[in-house]
């Protein structure tokens, strides 16, 4: 048995834009439904979704049977949490709220085994190493990790070149909802100032030769972001689709309640 290849990292190297969806429903069947839809990747959202470590593990086990790349957004960049996520088999990690190069450097250390990093070795407990049934896992694991940091504050934007210079950061994902909030436009990720900041960031990321991602639910805006350099796009969430689909079903029969939720935003 060999170390599992990171299909997300590999696909990104191929140059095609990778489309994905965020998963916020912790039920294994919800993951399985999402896995069969044909997205390139799905992201288990431990930052905002109700995922304990055991439900991340179950999602990863479910997704492994499908032709889709799994990504995990960690609840935080805490090295102990990252160690556990890596051990249960997460290879592509998105870390929220990374504002400085020093934070990015610490994350690179956390996801790599020595001598490149500080990830603790417990391969007999680790699904990632197939419980010691992948020979030499500790020697080959670092190569298969894809570390994506999130730039989603004004501070991160100001520090972006320094964050991009950190060796071991594979990509940067822009979070328009948090970025808009940080820029004084809470709930308005489509504000022209926010779009302009995202444009500049995507250009910077792409010129640095790193993977550039953004969350965007509007197809036209998504094409615009691709033109600025985005090469992986989150285009929605399972929770939003479920809510919207059920509302539409209801409306087909009742004509609507007249109490509609907020307009769907271009952000998260
Ligand atoms: C954000 O928009 O803030 C996110 O983290 C997800 O896109
Ligand atoms: Mg965010």
């Amino acid at each position: 048995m060999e170390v599992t290849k990171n299909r997300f990292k590999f696909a990104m190297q191929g140059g095609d834009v990778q489309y994905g969806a965020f998963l916020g429903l912790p039920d294994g069947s919800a993951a399985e439904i999402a896995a069969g839809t044909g997205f390139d990747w799905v992201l288990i959202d431990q930052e905002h979704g109700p995922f304990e470590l055991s439900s991340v593990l179950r999602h990863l086990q479910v997704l492994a049977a499908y032709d889709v790349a799994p990504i995990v957004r960690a609840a935080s960049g805490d090295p102990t949490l990252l160690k556990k996520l890596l051990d249960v088999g997460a290879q592509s990690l998105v870390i929220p709220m990374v504002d400085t190069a020093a934070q990015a450097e610490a994350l690179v250390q956390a996801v790599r085994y020595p001598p490149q990093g500080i990830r603790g070795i417990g391969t007999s407990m680790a699904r990632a190493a197939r419980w010691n049934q992948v020979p030499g896992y500790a020697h080959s694991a670092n190569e298969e990790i894809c570390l994506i940091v999130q730039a989603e504050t004004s501070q991160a934007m100001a520090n972006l070149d320094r964050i991009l210079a950190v060796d071991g950061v594979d990509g940067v994902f822009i979070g328009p909802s948090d970025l808009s909030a940080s820029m004084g436009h809470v709930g308005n990720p489509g504000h022209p100032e926010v779009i302009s900041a995202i444009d500049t960031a995507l250009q910077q990321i792409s010129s640095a030769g790193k993977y550039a991602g953004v969350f965007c639910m509007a197809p036209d805006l998504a094409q615009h972001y691709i033109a600025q350099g985005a090469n992986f796009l989150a285009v929605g969430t399972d929770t939003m689709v479920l809510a919207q689909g059920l509302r539409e079903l209801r409306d087909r029969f009742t004509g609507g309640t007249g109490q509609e939720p907020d307009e769907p935003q271009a952000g998260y």
Side-chain angles (χ1 to χ4, degrees):
M1 199 177 276
E2 289 184 355
V3 68
T4 310
K5 290 282 160 208
N6 185 332
R7 52 179 297 162
F8 179 67
K9 197 172 179 179
F10 181 73
M12 298 275 280
Q13 286 161 359
D16 289 340
V17 174
Q18 301 292 303
Y19 291 92
F22 278 29
L23 305 183
L25 298 169
D27 184 82
S29 298
E32 198 151 9
I33 291 169
T37 56
F39 275 111
D40 299 307
W41 55 270
V42 290
L43 177 145
I44 303 163
D45 188 6
Q46 200 198 29
E47 187 196 11
H48 291 296
F51 289 97
E52 301 302 330
L53 187 68
S54 53
S55 44
V56 174
L57 167 61
R58 191 181 50 230
H59 262 43
L60 290 171
Q61 288 170 325
V62 164
L63 296 172
Y66 286 85
D67 191 20
V68 66
I71 302 177
V72 177
R73 175 158 74 173
S76 76
D78 173 46
T80 305
L81 172 63
L82 298 185
K83 178 165 57 183
K84 285 185 166 292
L85 291 171
L86 291 165
D87 280 352
V88 297
Q91 288 182 310
S92 297
L93 286 167
V94 170
I95 317 294
M97 300 282 185
V98 178
D99 290 334
T100 66
Q103 287 172 349
E105 277 161 16
L107 292 168
V108 172
Q109 291 281 301
V111 301
R112 293 179 169 192
Y113 281 137
Q116 289 88 2
I118 58 154
R119 176 181 173 193
I121 300 188
T123 49
S124 74
M125 299 281 171
R127 171 175 177 266
R130 295 300 180 266
W131 303 275
N132 271 350
Q133 293 175 103
V134 174
Y137 173 80
H139 296 283
S140 48
N142 289 354
E143 291 303 308
E144 299 302 330
I145 302 301
C146 184
L147 176 65
I148 310 279
V149 300
Q150 269 197 271
E152 47 185 351
T153 62
S154 302
Q155 192 190 0
M157 293 294 134
N159 286 329
L160 191 53
D161 276 332
R162 282 180 284 274
I163 293 170
L164 286 164
V166 175
D167 193 31
V169 167
D170 296 296
V172 176
F173 183 80
I174 310 293
S177 294
D178 281 310
L179 179 60
S180 55
S182 164
M183 292 176 68
H185 303 297
V186 179
N188 190 6
H191 189 285
E193 278 171 25
V194 179
I195 292 182
S196 163
I198 295 174
D199 287 352
T200 307
L202 292 172
Q203 289 159 13
Q204 277 174 273
I205 302 162
S206 158
S207 327
K210 307 228 164 171
Y211 307 140
V214 64
F215 190 101
C216 179
M217 291 179 58
D220 290 350
L221 188 56
Q223 286 309 314
H224 168 81
Y225 286 147
I226 290 168
Q228 307 306 309
N231 50 6
F232 67 107
L233 274 117
V235 296
T237 74
D238 57 0
T239 48
M240 287 177 182
V241 170
L242 179 63
Q244 186 183 332
L246 288 171
R247 280 197 306 272
E248 284 171 7
L249 180 63
R250 177 204 64 197
D251 290 353
R252 230 181 288 154
F253 292 86
T254 67
T257 62
Q259 293 179 341
E260 295 310 313
D262 285 351
E263 279 297 300
Q265 302 284 349
Y268 183 58

